[in-house]
Amino acid sequence: MMIPASKARGVPGADDPSIMAEIVDDANKYAARDVHRALSAWSILSNADKGARVSAFLRDSAGDAAVLQAVVNRVYYRNDTVMGSLGIEARAPIPKGF
């Protein structure tokens, strides 16, 4: 839901299996406790309406939502396809920098 696929830009969504695997790996390495807390807060919300669920999560668990967003964005925007769609060379930032 955070980052959907875009056919127009030719990029996968954050739910792409290869990106999702990296998100899980990154979360486990760097923010396991925070991500677990965020997912727990998300899981107790009603599944009835996605929009209402997201609004409640952002309202009641803003810090947890920010953790999830940071992990997802960090992984998504280092994906080679995504970087290329933004006109950024897919490479390590060092030594040339960005």
Side-chain angles (χ1 to χ4, degrees), residues 55-98:
S55 294
F57 185 57
L58 293 172
R59 180 190 66 236
D60 299 338
S61 302
D64 293 330
V67 167
L68 285 179
Q69 185 176 22
V71 171
V72 170
N73 287 339
R74 179 172 55 231
V75 172
Y76 185 77
Y77 287 101
R78 70 178 179 222
N79 177 274
D80 290 354
T81 303
V82 173
M83 295 285 284
S85 77
L86 298 170
I88 301 171
E89 183 182 355
R91 61 171 170 76
I94 297 172
K96 293 181 179 181
F98 280 115

Side-chain angles (χ1 to χ4, degrees), residues 27-28 30-38:
N28 285 330
Y30 305 111
R33 185 182 62 199
D34 294 332
V35 170
H36 178 73
R37 185 185 66 238

